[in-house]
Amino acid sequence: MEAIANKYFDSNNPFLFPIITKEDGTERNQYLNKTMLINRYLKKIAELAKIPIPLPCT
């Protein structure tokens, strides 16, 4: 986990991962949009791996 955190760490960004890219009042929407995108990717991965249960990130 430390290697992953170090890879994405940016001292200019108050967030650990670069999911929130702008601090302009849209942070919540940015987070929700990325969450939906990740869930779509996880759904596709589950389909390709023939996993019959959902793999949501939240």
Side-chain angles (χ1 to χ4, degrees):
M1 289 190 311
E2 184 178 356
I4 293 170
N6 288 337
K7 178 179 178 179
Y8 291 104
F9 178 73
D10 178 2
S11 61
N12 297 322
N13 189 336
F15 304 104
L16 178 58
F17 297 109
I19 292 172
I20 309 296
T21 57
K22 296 181 279 185
E23 292 184 69
D24 60 357
T26 64
E27 292 87 353
R28 178 74 177 152
N29 284 337
Q30 292 177 65
Y31 169 77
L32 292 173
N33 288 338
K34 291 295 182 177
T35 302
M36 287 189 297
L37 182 63
I38 291 167
N39 281 331
R40 274 189 237 134
Y41 289 150
L42 287 172
K43 182 176 181 179
K44 185 65 176 174
I45 290 168
E47 289 172 3
L48 292 171
K50 297 181 180 165
I51 299 172
I53 58 172
L55 301 175
C57 71
T58 56

